Amino acid sequence: MPKKKPLSFDSIWGFDEIDGMMERFKMMDHFMSEALEQLEGREGPVFYGFSISIDNEGKPIVNEFGNVKPGLKGPELAEEIEPLVDVIDSKDAVKIYAELPGVEKGDIDLSATESSLTISVHGEKKRYHKEVDLPQKVNPDTAKATYKNGVLEVCVGKVVKRRGKQLKVE
């Protein structure tokens, strides 16, 4: 039986993947500099950001958000803002948190399937849109959503795998 390689400090904290992340940050910085130059003089706010989280295997995940998107002729400014979203996979449910500042609760439209959640806001002042791929199959009928202080929280129960039942032949 092969000897298990001990965990190193670098592998625990993801430092062995820092070079790749730094390259991605440099690309994002270049993209934003180019975007700001090309979008100069256009009306409307420019939103761009990213969040970093760690997956179940300890690898970093970089998620971008905002309304600046890559286009065929360079960066484009979208009408809808892609909100910052966090997905938490717990034992029995999947929780989704979305930052939607300046939105009225009645302007939020949610749509769920077994594998995704779509968040749309078409308010007078703010427009948001995000399709979130869920890490596990969920039961959309169990979904509950609350909105408070600009943060939307959606909790959806996971699909319960049912065991077969022994049948008696009569």
Side-chain angles (χ1 to χ4, degrees):
M1 187 161 142
K3 203 173 198 183
K4 193 173 183 180
K5 184 179 173 185
L7 290 174
S8 69
F9 179 81
D10 288 348
S11 66
I12 291 171
W13 291 99
F15 291 136
D16 50 354
E17 298 191 22
I18 275 290
D19 290 338
M21 286 179 57
M22 291 307 292
E23 275 305 309
R24 183 141 185 210
F25 291 146
K26 286 178 188 175
M27 287 174 28
M28 286 190 277
D29 181 53
H30 175 72
F31 172 73
M32 279 311 298
S33 297
E34 188 178 297
L36 290 173
E37 286 176 22
Q38 290 185 11
L39 298 173
E40 193 172 325
R42 292 192 188 176
E43 287 191 30
V46 175
F47 293 96
Y48 179 80
F50 60 91
S51 67
I52 301 173
S53 58
I54 305 296
D55 69 9
N56 292 340
E57 296 174 2
K59 295 182 181 178
I61 302 169
V62 178
N63 294 307
E64 299 174 70
F65 62 93
N67 66 342
V68 179
K69 305 291 178 199
L72 294 175
K73 297 179 182 178
E76 295 177 354
L77 191 60
E79 261 187 53
E80 296 170 326
I81 299 168
E82 188 173 306
L84 174 62
V85 173
D86 284 325
V87 178
I88 309 297
D89 186 1
S90 66
K91 181 180 177 187
D92 299 326
V94 175
K95 289 187 179 183
I96 301 96
Y97 298 92
E99 291 186 14
L100 303 171
V103 168
E104 295 295 323
K105 181 169 63 171
D107 292 335
I108 301 172
D109 291 320
L110 298 173
S111 174
T113 67
E114 282 189 340
S115 59
S116 69
L117 174 72
T118 302
I119 303 167
S120 295
V121 175
H122 296 287
E124 287 182 36
K125 296 180 180 180
K126 299 274 184 154
R127 298 184 80 174
Y128 292 93
H129 184 81
K130 175 77 174 181
E131 291 186 30
V132 181
D133 292 326
L134 302 176
Q136 301 283 327
K137 292 231 183 244
V138 297
N139 180 353
D141 296 332
T142 64
K144 293 184 181 174
T146 58
Y147 179 71
K148 186 176 179 183
N149 296 330
V151 178
L152 173 70
E153 177 183 343
V154 181
C155 183
V156 189
K158 291 183 180 180
V159 171
V160 178
K161 293 182 182 176
R162 298 177 190 250
R163 291 187 175 172
K165 180 179 176 185
Q166 187 69 35
L167 301 174
K168 196 175 203 182
V169 179
E170 293 181 25

